[in-house]
Amino acid sequence: MHDIFETPVVYLKGVGPKKAGVLKKELDVVTFEDLLYCFPFRYVDKSKIYKVSEVTSDAIWFQLKGRISHLTPVGDKRMKYITAKFTDDSGTIGLVWFRGLSWVKNAFSTDKEYILFGKPSIFRNHYNFVHPELEEFVPGQEELAGQRLEGIYSSTETLKNNGLGSRGISKLMRRLLNQTAASIGETLPEQIINHFQLMGRKEALLNIHFPESLAMIEKATRRLKFEELLFLQLQILQQKIDLQEKIPGLVFNKVGEYLNDFYKNHLPFELTNAQKRVIKEIRGDLKSGKQMNRLLQGDVGSGKTLVALMSMLIALDNGFQSCLMAPTEILATQHFNSIRKMLEKMDVRIALLTGSTKQAVRKTIHKELLDGSLQILIGTHAVIEETVRFQQLGFVVIDEQHRFGVAQRAKLWKKNTITPHVLVMTATPIPRTLAMTLYGNLDVSVIDEMPPGRKAVKTLHFWESKRLRVIGFMREQIKLGRQIYIVYPLIKESEKLDLKNLLDGYESIVRDFPPPDYQVSVLHGRMKSDDKDLEMKRFVDGTTDIMVSTTVIEVGVDVPNASVMIIENAERFGLSQLHQLRGRVGRGAEQSYCILMSGYKLSAEGRKRLEIMVQTNDGFEISEADLQLRGPGDIQGTKQSGMLDFKIANLAKDGELIAKTRKVAGHILDKDPHLATSENKLLKQQLLKISKGKQHYGRIS
Ligand code: ADP
Ligand code: MG
């Protein structure tokens, strides 16, 4: 069966090989369908024709009707630009072209009237139009001028030079729709269309390009977004079903001694309700017979480690080993210490493996992992080395997941013939919409409740000029016995400069806080691991009052007595990083503070970030704000995935539709996992078509 929409775009009248090449290169448009799915990014109201005298703002678009005269090429030997005058009965305004000059030179006739459309610019105190759209005005045949709402397509330099500015694209679209509209079929089952009161596909595609009214644009947009998001969710969820069918899961159906003993006798504190809920979710997964792939989100300090530990104990109860991998040595060591302490009175063998583990110790670890006597391994990347082999690895915890690449994580799974269960923990809250798309093939658990007794961190923003006040405040806090972090930005491109910044800062702090009254530590990535450990230890045990460092302390470090976090050049940090850093304090019973220092030169966005930090402590709120501020393209991990190249939907704005379509997709696949019923025939067809196309949603974890 020939599908007219698969026709190469070169066969559309008006598109020769040259234009086809440009369309492919600039817009990745190959077929009729590709072109049809290039949607306008906004619409302009062309019902009104303005007078030249009314052009009094460079903020809006104007449509004028008039004559072109005084076409003047400018330049000595080579033509550099062309100016002209555009006149109606109210006045005259300048036109300028810098490109396509040889064409412009002969394109207009002084005898004819033209419809001009464009956004004015100001040049030497006068308005003019640079590269306006111009169309000959033909009385009686006012097809374009009479079109009330015109879609504006995004175009590029190259496209424009090939006659494919917004107008050019619009013309192609008109032709394409004239030729194919009758063949536009439906992709959604009738029940869905009825239930959600969606516009039909044909009507939607016609209206998105050539709208009858504003209301129709909205309806068309909603329909097309719904379609796009529904198929995305169907893909993601189907992929998940596929994996679960292919990968058998270890069944952990025993709750035995280890977990019970820990829960009854060694639990250091009452679990929060959120922790209980998440553990229940994990237990459900572990006995389901399917391999668990779960993302555990919880703000810094929400108690993820305990959840990880209790899950690992379930594996032990079922005769399997567990492994926890953290991104840095400091973190791995900290996890090791806190877990060892919690298991102190229990007979569980655990070990720490990092890059600096001594050869002899390493050997023992290797041996004990193989014979099964070592039950829990905690470490850095070192745990994924080839030489590390387990007798029966059943459960893997990956902390701070975005620091690890997919390949690294995959190595861990392969350490058993049957893929172990995987719990990925992240303290960087991911906006719900992202979690449902980017991480859509993982199950997500959220710890949305802090352990009791925590006081919210107070966040303040100070300009550089208030430094003396800040120093005074630091002295007070130290007098109260508290400790302080000072963090300097580290941006890779100028590592040297950053280090200098940090060391200068350190020196000036030592000047303000001289020994022997005060002790100051310094920590940065260039230091030897032994020195780092020493400095960290001195801070953890309270020997030093102030820790001056780069963001190496960003993740996970836990010093409850530290109550002040000072962030230098705070405007240079991203929101999620600021939030992470703030999470280093507020871990004890005392009131904690986060002080954001900045210079006066702030970009609008930088200022907004600091404002948001001052306003809220809620990691999810912050991640949403981050998504709104930066757009989805910049959020961790989205770029390389390529899955967010939406045609019409928008991750930052369409949260509600994303949630809705995910639910719908879930319902559909619950009832009909392989879309085998006739009811879902259309869905299956379309999915097949999509998966044959260029979209690939790779596995994330
Ligand atoms: P994160 O989620 O950032 O990894 P941690 O697991 O490090 O958080 O926990 C932060 C702190 O809270 C730790 O000192 C931990 O001992 C403590 N904690 C965890 N759960 C509870 C709880 N239910 N009640 C009281 N304190 C808890
Ligand atoms: Mg942690």
Side-chain angles (χ1 to χ4, degrees):
M1 185 182 67
H2 175 67
D3 180 351
I4 189 168
F5 294 100
E6 298 290 318
T7 314
V9 76
V10 69
Y11 294 114
L12 183 64
K13 194 167 160 266
V15 183
K18 178 130 188 261
K19 277 188 184 163
V22 175
L23 282 169
K24 164 85 181 89
K25 191 161 157 279
E26 299 293 305
L27 298 176
D28 208 14
V29 164
V30 178
T31 64
F32 280 11
E33 173 141 333
D34 294 340
L35 184 61
L36 197 56
Y37 273 80
C38 289
F39 300 136
F41 66 96
R42 63 185 181 82
Y43 298 85
V44 290
D45 184 348
K46 291 201 165 178
S47 57
K48 182 168 161 64
I49 292 189
Y50 290 83
K51 295 285 176 200
V52 166
S53 60
E54 288 176 300
V55 178
T56 51
S57 158
D58 59 355
I60 53 173
W61 295 70
F62 288 91
Q63 180 170 244
L64 309 171
K65 189 168 91 175
R67 289 175 193 280
I68 298 173
S69 62
H70 299 85
L71 212 64
T72 315
V74 183
D76 308 330
K77 286 194 190 119
R78 240 186 91 240
M79 201 174 13
K80 295 218 173 77
Y81 59 97
I82 294 181
T83 62
K85 288 193 165 127
F86 188 88
T87 309
D88 67 7
D89 55 16
S90 76
T92 293
I93 196 163
L95 310 181
V96 187
W97 291 267
F98 297 98
R99 297 181 307 264
L101 301 182
S102 47
W103 176 79
V104 170
K105 212 165 56 166
N106 303 308
F108 308 106
S109 151
T110 47
D111 306 332
K112 288 178 180 158
E113 272 194 300
Y114 292 89
I115 297 290
L116 176 151
F117 185 73
K119 201 164 165 254
S121 16
I122 298 178
F123 181 66
R124 296 201 177 134
N125 289 325
H126 289 287
Y127 289 107
N128 68 7
F129 286 97
V130 182
H131 293 200
E133 286 174 26
L134 288 160
E135 188 105 341
E136 191 182 324
F137 175 71
V138 185
Q141 190 204 334
E142 297 167 23
E143 187 207 5
L144 276 172
Q147 170 93 30
R148 211 172 83 75
L149 288 157
E150 187 179 320
I152 303 295
Y153 298 87
S154 62
S155 184
T156 64
E157 209 57 51
T158 317
L159 282 165
K160 281 182 194 149
N161 289 340
N162 285 278
L164 293 173
S166 178
R167 274 245 164 129
I169 295 175
S170 181
K171 272 187 192 163
L172 286 188
M173 213 58 88
R174 173 76 77 188
R175 218 168 275 148
L176 178 64
L177 282 167
N178 283 343
Q179 195 176 328
T180 60
S183 317
I184 294 177
E186 189 47 76
T187 52
L188 298 176
E190 213 176 304
Q191 314 89 276
I192 291 186
I193 294 194
N194 292 339
H195 187 264
F196 292 97
Q197 302 189 333
L198 300 173
M199 189 182 249
R201 181 156 174 266
K202 177 169 147 191
E203 202 183 359
L205 285 168
L206 283 169
N207 270 285
I208 203 82
H209 291 294
F210 301 101
E212 289 165 26
S213 66
L214 280 175
M216 293 298 255
I217 297 177
E218 302 225 332
K219 280 195 178 151
T221 305
R222 179 160 175 276
R223 146 74 205 215
L224 293 167
K225 282 182 174 179
F226 192 100
E227 172 178 321
E228 181 165 46
L229 292 169
L230 180 68
F231 282 107
L232 173 65
Q233 290 301 337
L234 283 170
Q235 265 182 303
I236 291 172
L237 293 177
Q238 230 182 14
Q239 197 180 47
K240 195 169 137 189
I241 293 172
D242 276 1
L243 277 176
Q244 283 177 340
E245 283 176 358
K246 271 191 214 122
I247 303 178
L250 300 164
V251 181
F252 294 172
N253 49 15
K254 274 188 263 176
V255 173
E257 252 170 73
Y258 287 114
L259 187 65
N260 280 333
D261 183 25
F262 180 77
Y263 189 72
K264 287 196 192 116
N265 307 318
H266 307 291
L267 198 62
F269 21 60
E270 181 79 6
L271 294 176
T272 62
N273 286 327
Q275 283 170 323
K276 281 186 198 157
R277 191 187 64 234
V278 171
I279 290 170
K280 212 164 144 192
E281 285 165 356
I282 293 171
R283 274 176 66 175
D285 286 356
L286 296 184
K287 56 185 173 197
S288 73
K290 291 175 184 158
Q291 187 238 355
M292 179 178 86
N293 257 304
R294 192 170 274 280
L295 178 70
L296 173 56
Q297 292 195 58
D299 221 334
V300 276
S302 61
K304 294 185 292 293
T305 316
L306 191 55
V307 170
L309 171 60
M310 290 177 70
S311 312
M312 292 197 288
L313 290 178
I314 300 177
L316 266 52
D317 277 334
N318 287 272
F320 286 85
Q321 293 161 297
S322 297
C323 178
L324 186 161
M325 175 161 81
T328 64
E329 186 145 355
I330 291 179
L331 267 177
T333 309
Q334 199 174 277
H335 274 310
F336 176 71
N337 287 335
S338 69
I339 288 178
R340 186 171 54 180
K341 198 160 155 235
M342 287 194 267
L343 296 180
E344 208 169 32
K345 301 215 174 72
M346 287 175 62
D347 187 20
V348 176
R349 284 187 53 84
I350 71 174
L352 174 70
L353 181 66
T354 70
S356 46
T357 304
K358 297 268 163 5
Q359 198 53 40
V361 180
R362 211 172 261 261
K363 269 206 175 128
T364 318
I365 290 178
H366 288 171
K367 184 182 141 292
E368 293 187 355
L369 278 176
L370 257 187
D371 70 23
S373 54
L374 183 54
Q375 294 160 293
I376 297 180
L377 180 68
I378 296 171
T380 55
H381 302 81
V383 304
I384 55 180
E385 280 165 21
E386 289 295 328
T387 46
V388 178
R389 270 180 249 131
F390 294 79
Q391 187 199 46
Q392 280 274 48
L393 179 62
F395 194 91
V396 169
V397 182
I398 300 173
D399 194 15
E400 302 304 344
Q401 147 272 348
H402 58 270
R403 297 256 178 138
F404 293 105
V406 176
Q408 285 173 324
R409 279 177 254 144
K411 276 190 188 166
L412 253 184
W413 310 2
K414 293 195 185 121
K415 293 209 177 276
N416 193 349
T417 42
I418 296 182
T419 310
H421 296 292
V422 180
L423 180 69
V424 172
M425 304 199 293
T426 172
T428 313
I430 300 160
R432 260 171 26 123
T433 54
L434 265 190
M436 279 187 273
T437 45
L438 191 55
Y439 300 98
N441 50 7
L442 303 182
D443 291 303
V444 179
S445 288
V446 179
I447 304 190
D448 49 7
E449 179 190 2
M450 286 291 178
R454 296 272 171 83
K455 288 204 182 85
V457 178
K458 281 199 178 127
T459 304
L460 306 158
H461 171 208
F462 283 106
W463 305 103
E464 190 52 44
S465 55
K466 294 278 161 54
R467 187 163 293 274
L468 276 181
R469 253 186 76 190
V470 174
I471 288 174
F473 174 73
M474 289 168 67
R475 293 220 171 92
E476 277 168 35
Q477 288 286 309
I478 294 174
K479 214 185 227 160
L480 290 170
R482 310 284 141 66
Q483 289 164 283
I484 297 172
Y485 292 105
I486 305 181
V487 175
Y488 284 82
L490 186 111
I491 292 172
K492 284 228 171 59
E493 302 91 73
S494 56
E495 221 173 289
K496 260 194 198 143
L497 212 111
D498 288 326
L499 191 60
K500 183 175 175 307
N501 253 346
L502 172 82
L503 294 178
D504 288 351
Y506 171 65
E507 271 172 29
S508 92
I509 287 297
V510 173
R511 248 176 278 132
D512 288 320
F513 297 87
D517 295 350
Y518 300 97
Q519 298 291 327
V520 183
S521 288
V522 64
L523 190 68
H524 59 79
R526 292 271 186 96
M527 286 162 62
K528 291 220 184 71
S529 150
D530 286 353
D531 297 338
K532 271 196 249 179
D533 282 354
L534 183 72
E535 289 292 280
M536 200 59 225
K537 253 188 219 117
R538 278 168 17 104
F539 190 66
V540 173
D541 68 20
T543 311
T544 52
D545 307 294
I546 301 175
M547 163 68 83
V548 178
S549 84
T550 56
T551 49
V552 285
I553 56 121
E554 179 189 343
V555 232
V557 173
D558 191 15
V559 182
N561 189 49
S563 65
V564 183
M565 164 63 66
I566 297 175
I567 304 175
E568 298 287 346
N569 294 115
E571 73 277 10
R572 284 174 64 183
F573 292 87
L575 264 179
S576 66
Q577 212 177 13
L578 288 172
H579 182 65
Q580 283 286 318
L581 287 168
R582 176 166 62 187
R584 298 305 106 217
V585 295
R587 310 197 133 223
E590 310 304 335
Q591 176 62 55
S592 292
Y593 302 86
C594 174
I595 296 177
L596 308 169
M597 299 297 299
S598 82
Y600 284 99
K601 271 195 192 155
L602 288 185
S603 66
E605 203 192 303
R607 182 184 292 259
K608 186 86 201 153
R609 281 200 296 268
L610 301 186
E611 274 170 23
I612 291 167
M613 286 298 294
V614 171
Q615 273 162 20
T616 179
N617 274 310
D618 181 328
F620 283 93
E621 217 173 287
I622 288 171
S623 73
E624 288 292 348
D626 204 22
L627 181 61
Q628 302 297 336
L629 270 182
R630 295 194 299 165
D634 287 332
I635 302 287
Q636 282 284 0
T638 57
K639 265 209 180 111
Q640 59 271 37
S641 81
M643 67 179 292
L644 302 181
D645 302 335
F646 288 121
K647 295 274 185 233
I648 189 163
N650 179 324
L651 263 192
K653 294 188 183 136
D654 295 325
E656 202 187 318
L657 260 190
I658 290 173
K660 201 175 267 172
T661 52
R662 182 169 178 87
K663 219 161 136 189
V664 175
H667 281 316
I668 294 172
L669 292 173
D670 273 351
K671 276 197 268 169
D672 184 11
H674 299 285
L675 300 177
T677 62
S678 62
E679 192 182 324
N680 293 324
K681 202 172 121 204
L682 286 176
L683 295 177
K684 183 161 190 154
Q685 265 174 15
Q686 182 67 7
L687 268 182
L688 217 71
K689 201 167 153 184
I690 294 172
S691 62
K692 267 196 281 172
K694 44 199 155 185
Q695 287 152 296
H696 294 288
Y697 305 113
R699 184 153 193 209
I700 302 296
S701 181

